[in-house]
Amino acid sequence: MQRYGVAGPASAPRADVLILPDYGESAETWFETARDMTAAGDAVWVLEGVGAGGSARLTARRDLGELKSFDPDVAAVKGMIHTVIRPTPDRPLVVLGQGVGALVAARAIETGAAPAGLILSGPRCKAGLAGGALVFLGLGVFRAPGGDAWTRAGPDDFAQRRTHDRWRGAVTHAWQLANPDLRLGGESLDWQAALVDLQTRTEPAAARIAVPTLLFDADHGPPCLVPAHTDRRALTGADPAFELEDGRWRGLWLSSVQAFVRSVIPQSPADRPRTAQAKARLPNPRPGR
């Protein structure tokens, strides 16, 4: 069973935003961002991954990131859109994927999902090692090398260098301390092999994604996902958890996300530009320290 949540604004929503978190994150990780976006008039949905966040685990080892394929995640995104959210032309949907969630979002669109817009936030472009013989022999449930079990004293996102912000970096671990169902340590060999497979299938087809796309990365080389209609925003110097970053980067990230969502919302006659050439503009990136 996958866990999801929704928060709405005080008035009728202008748009729906479906958030797909990164590995290790939960819906609680995104509470601050959900608050900011509902304050701007959008309904925010968060769908946690299979075997992640507060979703049911696939093994008895609660803190093990075990997964044999991301196909159920991709199918769940499409089902969430068509069965639960049910966007309309007057209330469009934007899918925002963070890290591994960005790959899942892209694959869902490649295989049939049709939101009004796509936000790829720090796509995870460096896959773990494929499981090899251990996975082939059915031993992929072992934790992958370099991954640790979850502990109460374990490193938070700040200590793992996922953000420069010490306060935001403590949020996910604090929720995991309070709720054992959210705890997640290192990935299994199965999970890493599944991620390699997801990337192998998603990257070559990304150029065929036709929906408007906003891409955030840290400018560490060519991005792994570049859909046809992409506006790339390089958050130079940022750590990968953009939604948890220091205000120097998160401010730009959030304002760009909100501007992108506004750009796909149908305009009333009074709001339409006087010239056909006028377009919604996103803030220009300004790297900060």
Side-chain angles (χ1 to χ4, degrees):
M1 180 178 68
Q2 280 183 257
R3 179 179 183 241
Y4 76 88
V6 59
S11 58
R14 308 171 309 162
D16 288 289
V17 179
L18 173 59
I19 295 172
L20 308 179
D22 198 359
Y23 180 85
E25 298 178 346
S26 64
E28 288 81 355
T29 304
W30 288 83
F31 276 3
E32 182 184 13
T33 298
R35 180 203 65 190
D36 293 335
M37 299 190 73
T38 55
D42 305 315
V44 178
W45 306 76
V46 183
L47 176 63
E48 297 174 340
V50 173
S55 300
R57 298 295 191 262
L58 303 183
T59 74
R61 298 168 66 187
R62 183 73 200 176
D63 77 324
L64 178 66
E66 166 64 1
L67 194 68
K68 295 186 183 298
S69 171
F70 279 91
D71 288 347
D73 284 273
V74 173
V77 171
K78 293 189 287 187
M80 184 82 177
I81 292 172
H82 297 303
T83 305
V84 181
I85 302 176
R86 294 180 291 182
T88 66
D90 292 332
R91 182 172 155 179
L93 170 69
V94 172
V95 178
L96 190 167
Q98 170 69 35
V100 173
L103 294 172
V104 173
R107 188 61 184 164
I109 294 173
E110 291 171 358
T111 56
L118 170 65
I119 300 175
L120 301 173
S121 183
R124 180 160 167 172
C125 296
K126 183 179 180 181
L129 297 175
L134 289 176
V135 171
F136 180 77
L137 294 173
L139 301 176
V141 293
F142 287 110
R143 203 180 304 272
D148 296 320
W150 187 93
T151 64
R152 298 183 68 86
D156 60 16
D157 287 322
F158 177 79
Q160 294 182 71
R161 298 186 178 180
R162 297 189 69 243
T163 171
H164 290 81
D165 190 297
R166 185 180 296 274
W167 184 86
R168 290 191 178 104
V171 167
T172 301
H173 194 72
W175 278 105
Q176 291 172 342
L177 285 169
N179 184 354
D181 287 343
L182 304 179
R183 296 171 184 175
L184 199 61
E187 312 110 348
S188 70
L189 292 167
D190 281 336
W191 190 96
Q192 290 198 349
L195 182 62
V196 171
D197 177 67
L198 176 65
Q199 282 195 233
T200 300
R201 291 184 292 156
T202 303
E203 290 181 24
R208 298 198 296 271
I209 294 176
V211 303
T213 302
L214 177 60
L215 168 66
F216 295 98
D217 62 20
D219 197 22
H220 292 156
C224 62
L225 297 177
V226 187
H229 306 287
T230 298
D231 183 0
R232 182 185 181 191
R233 301 274 149 165
L235 301 180
T236 304
D239 284 333
F242 298 146
E243 81 283 7
L244 297 175
E245 254 296 16
D246 182 279
R248 294 169 289 176
W249 295 285
R250 185 178 183 273
L252 171 61
W253 176 86
L254 179 63
S255 60
S256 297
V257 166
Q258 292 177 327
F260 180 80
V261 173
R262 288 196 300 272
S263 75
V264 304
I265 297 172
Q267 295 178 318
S268 67
D271 294 333
R272 288 173 186 159
R274 294 185 179 181
T275 63
Q277 290 77 20
K279 297 180 179 178
R281 295 195 178 193
L282 302 177
N284 290 323
R286 293 182 180 178
R289 294 301 307 167

